[in-house]
Amino acid sequence: MSRPQNYPLSISTKGTQDHYTGRWGVLKPFFDEKLSPCRHRCPGSIHIPKFMNLVQDQNLTDAWRTICEENPMPRITGRVCFHPCEEDCLRQNLDQPIAIHQVERFVGDWAFKNGLRHFEPTGDLTGPRLAVIGSGPAGIGCCYHLLRLGYQVSLFEAMPELGGLLRYGIPGYRLPKDVLSEELEMILGSWVGLHPGVKIGRDISWEEIQSDFEGIFLGPGAQQSISLGLEGEEIGGVADGLDFLKTVEANPFIRPGQRVLILGGGNTAFDVARAVLRLQGLPLILYRRSKEEMPAFEDEIMEAEEEGIEVRTLISPRGIVRDEEGLKGLTCVRNRITDLGPDGRRGFVPIEGSDHFMAGDFIVTAFGHLADAEALPSGVKVVHGSVTVTAQGAAGSGGVFAGGDVTAAPRSVIHALASGKRGALGLDAYFKHQKEVRPDKFTPLPLVKADQINLHYFSQSLRMVPERRLATERVSDFHEIQATLTPEAAAQEASRCVKCGFCNACGNCAFFCPDLAVCLDPGNQTILIDDRYCKGCCICVEECPRGVLSVEVET
Ligand SMILES: Cc1cc2nc3c(=O)[nH]c(=O)nc-3n(C[C@H](O)[C@H](O)[C@H](O)COP(=O)(O)OP(=O)(O)OC[C@H]3O[C@@H](n4cnc5c(N)ncnc54)[C@H](O)[C@@H]3O)c2cc1C
Ligand code: SF4
Ligand code: SF4
């Protein structure tokens, strides 16, 4: 068919390069990386989409270095972190959240096996001499970041071995002690002056430390136990949970008793119960509130239940029962739950007339611990059993900073590690007379929203689960329960990650752009949008699988 002669159609004889369609536009897409919800929830702010992308690409060295920007202990957090990051993972809108902690653990184990080192100082460490008190995750996190900033650090630890609760609290079936020792060796090397078995305030005075060092980081944890408050608890047969776990760590063959009553609902209560089971005892956990209010981490409760540990809730002890042969048990009362309190938890009241006897020949209390105000330097303020700190972690005037369980922060390994970093940055800013330190969180980045992610680009796949020993087999020893993911499984799990808000140069935007206005900068893998050709259709914004691009009105 021939074209009518007078039909007013303009036909271009030129290529797309000569058509500056950009002049049509009123909307303008732009490269706008965002904060992924998982990273937002990680107390250590680990760049999860970035390290997942590197694992998927088999670049494990850079994946490990990305994690270590924030957290020097991925082998440890990969094993014991309660992984709040996974709760907000957007992949669960398609199938199941990414097993972030498992991939993190794999990367940490791989780095150790392949001889990677955190820190290779090129010259002598200079700068002010700093003392870190306590070798738990808060102290270790602080040492690590101070080393990276070039400071000379001395670490003092009251116990004979380093690690704090990682060594003397968390049992070996969850965190093998050789993994801890290897990780500490990798981080501290010979660069930190180590002083194990030295308690400040007992072996060296605080005044001496303050005159010998220009700055101090306090990471002594919370060591003061909360007593049961019942008559006769000092006579014998009653132990504090942490003391009990320390004894088991030193002697894993003790027999605490036949029927052990454990009072509390946190991690300590569950670890004590699981240790008792492994020592051939019969543990029974008694908790005064409901199961929903238990502060223990979900995984720990689930594993204890698998092992057959009995938990009775809404029960409080009222008295210790003894006869001439020794401890016989507890008199207890049943409780009724009440409405939500100001702390967001349900309270409880005793049900009068519900008193009953609970047989047991050993009692372990696990009510938590407080900072020991008597064992801290003067000038440090303690309120309700915790050291008060500023947003930068300063705990008093004159270069004293604090972090971890001694402060009012949530009690977890990754919170303690993050507070150690905050302390290091705070000390650095203090010595440089800066008012501001780098913010802990990446607040300047906008949080990516679920509706900005295009899950239809991803097909359903199962979350990778590492091998786990059967409950019947694992209760007879303290060996680790869970294996590390295989390299194939870790790469597969990393490939399930959407990389929310993070550009991994997939090129989808360039593929869909009808005006060939989008290309990828090959150097640093950012998206370049050529305004001369972009007419603002914003297909690229709509089609980005990860919500990286945003749109604004052109002015
Ligand atoms: C049984 C148990 C199980 C837990 N399980 C988990 C878990 O699975 N996951 C998780 O994330 N968290 C867990 N936690 C919590 C976590 O272990 C703590 O939040 C974390 O260890 C706190 O770190 P920190 O460095 O502040 O203190 P700590 O780990 O307590 O270390 C403080 C160190 O300072 C030393 N010290 C104290 N005073 C002095 C002094 N004057 N001079 C020199 N040294 C001193 C102490 O000896 C100690 O070694 C658990 C806690 C317990 C008790
Ligand atoms: S440290 Fe914990 S919260 Fe952070 S990425 Fe690892 S598992 Fe998640
Ligand atoms: S899919 Fe990946 S980037 Fe997105 S929230 Fe989950 S772990 Fe984070």
Side-chain angles (χ1 to χ4, degrees), residues 69-81:
E69 278 295 311
E70 308 297 334
N71 165 20
M73 294 181 164
R75 292 183 84 191
I76 292 174
T77 46
R79 284 173 164 82
V80 303
C81 180

Side-chain angles (χ1 to χ4, degrees), residues 283-493:
L284 170 62
I285 295 179
L286 303 175
Y287 181 54
R288 56 194 181 158
R289 298 173 193 248
S290 66
K291 193 175 167 195
E292 292 67 45
E293 314 299 322
M294 279 187 160
F297 299 148
E298 221 172 275
D299 287 1
E300 174 114 272
I301 299 176
M302 185 263 294
E303 285 185 351
E305 282 177 348
E306 278 175 3
E307 290 170 9
I309 287 171
E310 196 185 342
V311 179
R312 293 197 200 164
T313 54
L314 292 167
I315 289 181
S316 294
R318 282 217 158 152
I320 299 171
V321 182
R322 295 177 192 276
D323 66 10
E324 56 286 350
E325 285 171 10
L327 197 116
K328 289 289 157 202
L330 286 167
T331 49
C332 296
V333 64
R334 274 188 245 293
N335 298 324
R336 177 169 56 76
I337 43 172
T338 58
D339 293 340
L340 286 180
D343 61 351
R345 299 170 80 197
R346 286 184 189 282
F348 61 92
V349 288
I351 303 170
E352 286 316 318
S354 67
D355 292 56
H356 56 285
F357 175 69
M358 200 72 87
D361 52 6
F362 196 69
I363 297 169
V364 182
T365 58
F367 301 138
H369 292 82
L370 303 172
D372 187 355
E374 302 295 308
L376 291 166
S378 58
V380 170
K381 201 169 153 199
V382 179
V383 178
H384 302 308
S386 301
V387 168
T388 309
V389 287
T390 64
Q392 283 78 36
S397 56
V400 179
F401 285 71
D405 282 7
V406 78
T407 64
R411 292 187 174 174
S412 84
V413 173
I414 186 62
H415 279 97
L417 281 164
S419 74
K421 178 171 184 179
R422 181 190 61 187
L425 293 171
L427 279 161
D428 186 49
Y430 170 80
F431 288 114
K432 291 180 179 154
H433 306 288
Q434 290 168 349
K435 286 213 168 65
E436 297 284 322
V437 296
R438 202 196 80 166
D440 273 4
K441 290 274 174 187
F442 293 82
T443 35
L445 288 180
L447 186 63
V448 71
K449 298 189 190 76
D451 62 7
Q452 290 170 316
I453 302 293
N454 279 316
L455 284 175
H456 56 257
Y457 280 111
F458 301 86
S459 43
Q460 288 195 330
S461 61
L462 286 178
R463 174 178 158 113
M464 290 287 122
V465 180
E467 275 181 29
R468 239 158 33 104
R469 298 172 70 202
L470 290 174
T472 45
E473 180 200 319
R474 69 192 191 221
V475 293
S476 53
D477 61 47
F478 281 82
H479 298 154
E480 190 166 22
I481 290 175
Q482 221 171 40
T484 302
L485 287 176
T486 61
E488 297 73 29
Q492 160 65 16
E493 191 60 12

Side-chain angles (χ1 to χ4, degrees), residues 53 72 85 94 153 230 254 262 269 313 328 349 424 469 488 514 538:
N53 199 48
C85 52
L94 179 64
V153 189
L230 295 178
I254 54 156
I262 300 142
T313 54
K328 289 289 157 202
V349 288
R469 298 172 70 202
E488 297 73 29
C538 294

Side-chain angles (χ1 to χ4, degrees), residues 36-38 48-49 88-91 98 100 496-500:
S36 62
C38 52
I48 296 161
D88 282 6
C89 171
L90 293 178
R91 175 82 199 201
I98 305 298
I100 300 170
R496 288 181 67 238
C497 169
V498 174
K499 286 80 185 182
C500 305

Side-chain angles (χ1 to χ4, degrees), residues 9-48:
L9 178 70
S10 64
I11 296 173
S12 170
T13 53
K14 297 177 179 173
T16 40
Q17 241 181 342
D18 300 301
H19 288 285
Y20 295 113
T21 42
R23 276 175 292 183
W24 307 354
V26 284
L27 296 176
K28 203 170 167 252
F30 63 100
F31 180 74
D32 182 28
E33 277 210 336
K34 302 184 182 70
L35 182 63
S36 62
C38 52
R39 189 182 187 189
H40 182 63
R41 278 298 299 280
C42 169
S45 297
I46 295 173
H47 200 326
I48 296 161

Side-chain angles (χ1 to χ4, degrees), residues 80 134 136-138 157-158 164-165 174 200 219-220 268 271 297 404-405 412-413:
V80 303
E157 168 53 56
L165 289 177
R174 294 203 289 124
I200 308 304
T268 309
D271 277 330
F297 299 148
D405 282 7
S412 84
V413 173

